[in-house]
């Protein structure tokens, strides 16, 4: 029976059917659900690692020990994992090894739009790219066959519209791959120069064989409709093109995007008058075509930016323009905001009030950069808040330090904030680090992490003691605040900013979306007392709006956090139904 | 059933994702090829969100482009207006009359437009407005707005009512099934 499945869920099903035994990942949109769904299979050992490097190394270890293994991450996570991955390419595998990476064209939830196909090329690894959920499952299983046959880690590339789309999938019985012994083989797995030099030659030979495979692989298929136009595409771009052009084009649908075939492309191009390469982000397939002497239309027609669509392809290839229905209204934007009741809101309100320079990081709290909180000055990559603050202070000196902080979430701090903290202590910096500890990896949709004491399955485990960790790194000043208490939090902030030594403030309150968090009753405004001063609006809560010159609270959104109440000069805000009592 | 392109639009946190799953399950039960494209991640909360649901003999692209939607199911007035360009010429907009101020309106940088429903009709769309929040509260929870709207939509399709009810049962956690079936009924029978 066919089931409707998320792309990521189908990858997880593929892992199960391929007999994968070990999965270690770090969450990152749009890759997160692969590992979440995988953790539902009791046959697979699954974990959240502190970061993608640790996750990939764990999977490499499991592979060398003889199990089929997997690590999943988003595109920028692959940068963190690149170090082990590039050398795992040299060692090859014992049990099959698959690295899943989800790119985010259009940056729905990312800080850049990098194209991870470049990593596959640079690391000399086979990369498969499915175009729907059924292929997510099929290619995941195929990847393990290829991995073991060619003795190589394999990469599976998804993009947001594949990872986060549901389509039909047919499930099969799981395979039982043969048990392999731990491979004690230093020539293959100890990559010091003498061994690595020999392995490099093996890798180049493997490249050649993989390229041969690409010529005949079923997943690189030609769809001939007898058309004059030819389209070369992979993944979601094939779907857009197929939707837009139907049988007005022939297609070379590539399932393997590295290495790319040569003869197959030449043969396909010969059968068409005009060949388009349709690929989001960089011109990887196009450049390959030019290199092998095949004339194609690519980025001169299609953009390097963002996502493609069927309308875009229809317009560029067929010249068909779609009429759009329009209203005459001015429609205000609706950017995402910190949720009503979010504990981070109070901290950002205070950082703005104290006119701080704020070195930010990656997480829900990056939203503190938007109006009206407007209190984050930088956001680069996971962990950069701490190390960049150190650099700012080394650049500008002590007075700058007294009005500057780093803000970083608990999960991001574990991911790569700790090394920055050690650097600050070791190199005699004196910044103030604020860990926004909401007891969860929030932005990716609530994953447990090493700081919250729960495993991926929700079982209790050891939690990192952040206070003790900071002290062990050389931070003498460590304070914990409840961000719902604005007065105390402000007092502590002022103390630590003034201190001429490194300090850590842990702003601790669980994300109010967690099921374990008891919700407070919603608040309401007493219109008799409200003078319309908008003090409460300064926290930028989506549940507060002005109605007829007075503040008003949307009870469907209010979580009763009381930031607005603490800012009201007229004591006009109280528990709904209780204000006038 | 012929092919159908539905967009579900709203504000992150309103339960659009569950609605798209019910819709997907119903279309699958009706024997069609189905693709659903979603938005994930907590960071989408409070922001404008859109989910595409497509059904037909064979569906390639999982997304809907401007001019392609048969139906827009809007959980909030402003969001209905925002995504109107995606509607086909003779398409329908089902809109929950609830209004939620986006942050630029909260901060006073922009105005929440007046007369959205009239403007949508003037643009040529068939409009069906319903106070889904009130109906959801009657059914027992403000969170059931999504299933109320599914009920309103169900009546517009040629998929039998029982198929929809079964889809609600499949997708909703067991302890909320009764509440949601009540909410579905409220939407299905709404004036």
């Amino acid at each position: 029976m066919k089931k409707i499945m998320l792309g990521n869920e189908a990858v997880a099903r593929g892992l199960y059917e391929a007999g994968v035994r070990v999965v270690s990942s770090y969450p990152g949109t749009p890759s997160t659900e692969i590992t979440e769904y995988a953790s539902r299979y009791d046959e697979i050992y699954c974990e959240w690692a502190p970061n993608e490097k640790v996750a990939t190394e764990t999977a490499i270890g499991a592979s060398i020990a003889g199990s089929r293994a997997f690590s999943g991450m988003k595109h920028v996570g692959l940068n963190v994992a690149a170090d082990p991955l590039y050398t795992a390419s040299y060692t090859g595998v014992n049990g099959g090894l698959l690295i899943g990476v989800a790119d985010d064209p259009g940056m729905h939830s990312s800080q850049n739009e990098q194209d991870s196909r470049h990593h596959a090329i640079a690391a000399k690894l086979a990369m498969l790219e499915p175009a729907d959920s059924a292929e997510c499952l099929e290619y995941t299983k195929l990847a393990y066959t290829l991995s073991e046959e060619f003795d190589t880690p394999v990469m599976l590339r998804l993009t947001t519209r594949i990872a986060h789309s549901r389509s039909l999938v047919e499930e099969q019985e799981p395979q039982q791959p043969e048990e392999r012994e731990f491979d004690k083989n230093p020539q293959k797995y100890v990559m010091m120069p003498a061994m690595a030099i020999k392995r490099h030659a093996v890798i180049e030979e493997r490249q050649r064989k993989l390229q041969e495979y690409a010529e005949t692989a079923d997943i690189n298929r030609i769809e001939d409709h007898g058309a004059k136009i030819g389209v070369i595409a992979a993944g979601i771009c094939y779907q857009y093109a197929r939707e837009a052009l139907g049988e007005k084009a022939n297609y070379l649908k590539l399932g393997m995007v590295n290495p790319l075939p040569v003869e197959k492309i030449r043969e396909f191009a010969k059968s068409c008058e005009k060949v388009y390469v349709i690929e989001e982000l960089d011109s990887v397939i196009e450049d390959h075509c030019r290199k092998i002497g095949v004339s194609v239309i690519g980025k001169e027609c299609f953009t390097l930016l963002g996502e493609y669509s069927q309308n875009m392809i229809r317009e560029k290839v067929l010249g068909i323009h779609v009429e759009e229905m329009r209203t005459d209204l001015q429609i205000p934007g609706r950017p995402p905001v910190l949720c009503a009741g979010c504990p981070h809101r109070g901290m950002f309100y205070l950082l703005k009030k104290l006119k701080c320079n704020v070195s930010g990081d990656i997480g829900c709290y990056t939203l503190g950069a938007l109006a009206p909180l407007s209190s984050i000055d930088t956001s680069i990559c996971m962990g950069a808040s701490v190390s960049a603050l150190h650099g700012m202070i080394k650049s500008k000196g002590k007075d700058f330090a007294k009005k500057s902080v780093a803000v970083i979430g608990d999960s991001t701090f574990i991911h790569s904030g700790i090394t920055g903290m050690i650097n600050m202590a070791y190199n005699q910096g004196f910044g103030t680090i604020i860990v926004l500890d909401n007891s969860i990896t929030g932005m990716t949709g609530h994953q447990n992490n090493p700081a919250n004491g729960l495993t991926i399955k929700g079982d209790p485990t050891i939690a990192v003691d952040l206070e003790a960790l900071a002290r062990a790194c050389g931070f003498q000043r460590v304070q914990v605040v409840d961000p719902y208490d604005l007065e105390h939090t402000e007092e502590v902030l002022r103390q630590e900013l003034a201190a001429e030594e490194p300090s850590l403030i842990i702003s601790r309150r669980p994300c109010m979306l967690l099921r374990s968090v008891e919700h407070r009753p919603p608040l309401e405004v007493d219109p008799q007392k409200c003078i319309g001063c908008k003090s409460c609006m300064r926290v930028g809560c989506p549940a507060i709006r002005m109605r007829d010159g007075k503040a008003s609270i949307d009870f469907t959104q209010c979580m009763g956090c009381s930031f607005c109440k603490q800012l009201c000069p007229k004591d006009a805000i109280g528990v709904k139904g209780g204000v006038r009592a | 059933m012929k092919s159908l392109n539905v967009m579900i639009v709203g504000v992150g946190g309103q339960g659009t994702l569950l609605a798209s799953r019910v819709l997907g399950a119903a279309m699958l039960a009706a024997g069609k090829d189905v693709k659903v494209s979603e938005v994930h991640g907590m960071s989408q909360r409070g922001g404008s969100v859109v989910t595409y649901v497509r059904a037909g003999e064979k569906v390639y692209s999982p997304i809907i482009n401007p001019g392609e939607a048969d139906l827009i199911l809007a959980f909030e007035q402003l969001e209905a207006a925002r995504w109107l360009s995606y509607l086909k010429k003779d398409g329908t907009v089902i809109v929950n009359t609830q209004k939620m101020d986006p942050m630029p309106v909260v901060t006073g940088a922009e105005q929440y437009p007046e007369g959205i429903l009239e403007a949508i009709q003037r643009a040529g769309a068939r409009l069906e407005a319903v106070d889904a929040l009130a109906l959801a509260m009657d059914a027992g929870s403000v969170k059931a707005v999504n299933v109320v709207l599914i009920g309103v939509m169900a009546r517009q399709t040629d998929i039998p009512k029982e198929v929809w009810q079964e889809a609600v049962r499949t997708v909703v956690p067991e302890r909320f099934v009764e509440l949601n079936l009540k909410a579905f009924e409220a939407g299905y029978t709404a004036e």
Side-chain angles (χ1 to χ4, degrees):
Chain A
M1 194 193 92
K2 286 195 171 173
K3 273 188 156 172
I4 186 162
M5 256 191 210
L6 201 63
N8 283 343
E9 184 182 358
V11 173
R13 177 74 199 181
L15 297 176
Y16 167 69
E17 291 185 9
V20 168
R21 288 288 166 265
V22 176
V23 172
S24 182
S25 304
Y26 184 80
T29 312
S31 71
T32 311
E33 299 82 6
I34 301 173
T35 302
E36 287 186 318
Y37 278 106
S39 74
R40 296 185 186 179
Y41 295 101
D42 289 336
E43 294 82 353
I44 306 176
Y45 168 77
C46 239
E47 65 177 28
W48 289 127
N51 63 37
E52 295 86 354
K53 179 177 187 290
V54 174
T56 299
E57 289 158 352
T58 301
I60 289 170
S63 159
I64 294 172
S67 297
R68 288 189 165 182
F70 174 82
S71 182
M73 61 205 68
K74 68 184 293 171
H75 59 328
V76 284
L78 187 60
N79 302 335
V80 180
D83 192 3
L85 185 66
Y86 279 52
T87 301
S89 172
Y90 275 41
T91 64
V93 305
N94 184 17
L97 176 62
L98 179 61
I99 304 298
V101 56
D103 286 5
D104 190 16
M107 292 178 276
H108 294 271
S109 194
S110 300
Q111 66 268 41
N112 76 25
E113 209 169 8
Q114 72 184 45
D115 188 328
S116 59
R117 292 177 296 175
H118 295 298
H119 271 303
I121 294 167
K124 301 175 190 279
L125 294 174
M127 180 180 254
L128 308 183
E129 183 168 352
D132 58 22
S133 296
E135 288 186 359
C136 282
L137 195 162
E138 180 197 335
Y139 288 14
T140 298
K141 286 163 71 174
L142 173 65
Y144 283 95
T145 310
L146 296 180
S147 174
E148 288 168 4
E149 188 180 325
F150 291 90
D151 190 6
T152 179
V154 173
M155 299 175 75
L156 184 77
R157 181 195 190 223
L158 308 177
T159 54
T160 301
R161 296 297 183 184
I162 299 298
H164 283 175
S165 290
R166 293 177 192 275
S167 59
L168 303 187
V169 160
E170 196 128 18
E171 296 182 341
Q172 287 177 359
E173 287 303 307
Q175 304 163 359
Q176 299 294 342
E178 59 165 319
E179 267 304 308
R180 295 177 178 223
E181 292 301 309
F182 172 52
D183 195 4
K184 250 176 139 41
N185 183 355
Q187 290 301 321
K188 188 164 184 283
Y189 296 110
V190 179
M191 283 302 96
M192 34 204 302
M195 288 83 145
I197 286 167
K198 288 183 194 138
R199 290 299 299 174
H200 187 183
V202 174
I203 279 24
E204 296 303 335
E205 175 59 13
R206 184 181 74 199
Q207 280 277 87
R208 197 189 55 72
K209 287 181 186 155
L210 282 166
Q211 203 260 317
E212 258 174 38
Y213 171 79
E215 298 291 356
T216 55
D218 293 341
I219 59 171
N220 292 335
R221 67 181 159 80
I222 290 172
E223 239 178 78
D224 190 349
H225 298 291
K228 290 175 184 166
I229 298 171
V231 169
I232 304 177
I236 192 65
C237 289
Y238 163 77
Q239 304 287 12
Y240 294 151
R242 188 68 181 75
E243 182 81 36
L245 308 175
E247 297 187 358
K248 293 190 187 91
N250 301 331
Y251 301 87
L252 171 54
K253 195 250 180 219
L254 297 170
M256 188 164 179
V257 291
N258 191 59
L260 290 163
V262 174
E263 288 313 318
K264 195 164 221 164
I265 289 176
R266 285 185 179 141
E267 174 203 327
F268 176 72
K270 265 185 223 152
S271 72
C272 311
E273 284 178 15
K274 203 173 179 183
V275 178
Y276 289 87
V277 172
I278 303 182
E279 56 186 329
E280 286 171 341
L281 304 180
D282 295 341
S283 56
V284 173
I285 302 171
E286 178 188 347
D287 293 350
H288 170 79
C289 290
R290 293 196 201 288
K291 198 171 140 193
I292 62 170
V294 172
S295 166
V296 295
I297 303 163
K299 293 298 174 187
E300 71 265 43
C301 184
F302 291 96
T303 177
L304 289 157
L305 315 179
E307 293 189 289
Y308 290 3
S309 66
Q310 52 265 32
N311 273 8
M312 177 200 277
I313 295 169
R314 244 178 240 128
E315 188 163 345
K316 299 279 185 193
V317 178
L318 303 176
I320 297 172
H321 182 73
V322 179
E323 283 299 315
E324 297 177 14
M325 208 181 274
R326 292 274 176 224
T327 66
D328 45 8
L329 303 172
Q330 279 287 326
I331 298 175
R334 191 186 298 273
V337 291
L338 292 173
C339 305
C342 176
H344 304 331
R345 176 169 281 108
M347 184 59 80
F348 287 119
Y349 166 75
L350 291 172
L351 293 173
K352 186 182 184 188
K353 182 180 171 189
L354 300 180
K355 299 190 171 64
C356 285
N357 307 308
V358 179
S359 178
D361 224 300
I362 308 286
C364 293
Y365 49 90
T366 316
L367 295 170
L370 303 181
L373 294 165
S374 311
S375 46
I376 289 183
D377 298 302
T378 62
S379 173
I380 311 294
C381 68
M382 296 286 284
S385 60
V386 180
S387 10
L389 172 69
H390 177 68
M392 289 171 189
I393 292 169
K394 288 296 177 189
S395 159
K396 287 280 181 250
K398 205 176 277 181
D399 290 341
F400 184 88
K402 290 189 176 174
K403 51 181 184 177
S404 302
V405 300
V407 290
I408 182 166
D410 48 332
S411 183
T412 309
F413 183 68
I414 296 287
H415 180 284
S416 47
I418 297 168
T419 41
M421 179 170 73
I422 292 171
N423 188 47
M424 190 183 281
Y426 167 58
N427 287 309
Q428 298 156 337
F430 36 84
T432 301
I433 303 170
I434 302 169
V435 173
L436 301 168
D437 180 5
N438 64 351
S439 305
I440 201 77
T441 310
M443 184 160 71
T444 44
H446 280 186
Q447 290 73 38
N448 292 320
N449 68 52
N452 84 347
L454 295 169
T455 68
I456 193 169
K457 287 187 182 265
D459 298 326
T461 183
I462 286 166
V464 173
D465 180 339
L466 296 178
E467 292 92 315
L469 175 71
R471 290 195 186 95
C473 293
F475 277 53
Q476 301 303 320
R477 300 186 66 95
V478 180
Q479 297 209 56
V480 180
V481 298
D482 174 358
Y484 271 12
D485 182 347
L486 287 177
E487 201 180 322
H488 179 244
T489 303
E490 181 172 347
E491 191 187 314
V492 169
L493 259 175
R494 286 182 187 276
Q495 285 166 14
E496 298 309 329
L497 283 166
E500 292 188 3
E501 55 180 305
S503 52
L504 179 75
I505 301 172
I506 300 170
S507 174
R508 182 168 285 152
R509 179 168 276 275
C511 172
M512 59 82 217
L513 295 177
L514 285 170
R515 272 200 205 107
S516 54
V517 172
E518 207 170 307
H519 288 171
R520 300 176 176 194
L523 304 179
E524 71 179 352
V525 179
D526 182 345
Q528 304 300 318
K529 289 186 182 171
C530 177
I531 53 168
C533 70
K534 298 187 179 174
S535 290
C536 56
M537 309 286 282
R538 283 180 292 161
V539 287
C541 175
I544 311 177
R545 63 263 165 118
M546 295 301 286
R547 290 286 183 265
D548 304 324
K550 308 265 183 181
S552 148
I553 294 175
D554 178 354
F555 75 96
T556 66
Q557 295 191 67
C558 178
M559 307 299 283
C561 71
S562 90
F563 285 133
C564 57
K565 184 174 168 12
Q566 292 177 58
L567 295 182
C568 178
K570 293 291 172 187
D571 198 22
I573 301 175
V575 174
K576 187 170 164 59
V579 182
R580 286 169 214 87
Chain B
M1 192 191 89
K2 54 185 192 313
S3 70
L4 189 62
N5 292 337
V6 181
M7 282 171 71
I8 303 178
V9 302
V11 179
Q14 279 191 300
T16 51
L17 222 57
L18 183 118
S20 72
R21 291 183 57 201
V22 173
L23 189 52
M27 289 177 173
L28 182 63
K32 293 289 158 180
D33 187 24
V34 181
K35 280 190 179 168
V36 181
S37 186
E38 304 175 342
V39 194
H40 288 226
M42 286 293 147
S43 66
Q44 301 298 337
R45 278 183 80 89
S48 171
V49 292
V50 56
T51 304
Y52 308 102
V53 184
R54 306 192 63 209
E57 285 313 320
K58 172 76 186 157
V59 178
Y60 292 97
S61 172
I63 63 167
I64 295 169
N65 280 180
E68 290 186 336
D70 297 292
L71 201 150
I72 295 177
L73 192 60
F75 282 45
E76 200 270 354
Q77 287 201 32
L78 185 60
E79 296 311 308
R82 183 187 315 285
W83 295 97
L84 190 69
S85 61
Y86 282 70
L87 199 66
K88 268 184 194 161
K89 237 186 181 138
D90 48 357
T92 301
V93 181
I94 296 172
V95 59
N96 174 16
T97 52
Q98 198 178 344
K99 290 184 183 179
M100 294 166 81
D101 288 4
M103 202 42 68
V105 172
V106 171
T107 61
E110 291 182 69
Q111 296 284 315
Y112 196 104
E114 296 288 333
I116 290 178
L117 300 181
E118 297 74 12
I120 289 174
Q121 272 177 316
R122 270 201 310 277
R126 206 170 74 79
L127 180 80
E128 193 143 338
V130 58
D131 186 349
L133 181 61
L135 292 172
M137 283 164 69
D138 286 348
S141 169
V142 293
K143 288 188 178 150
V145 163
N146 50 8
V147 180
V148 169
L149 288 168
I150 286 284
V152 177
M153 198 199 82
R155 211 175 42 192
Q156 309 272 334
T157 65
D158 50 12
I159 301 173
K161 187 178 176 183
E162 302 74 51
V163 174
W164 287 101
Q165 288 166 323
E166 186 52 35
V168 171
R169 267 187 218 103
T170 333
V171 171
V172 169
E174 206 182 323
R175 63 186 192 283
F176 299 126
V177 165
E178 199 181 328
L179 167 83
N180 279 293
L181 285 175
K182 211 168 144 194
F184 175 85
E185 193 63 30
Y188 197 84
T189 55
E191 288 302 310

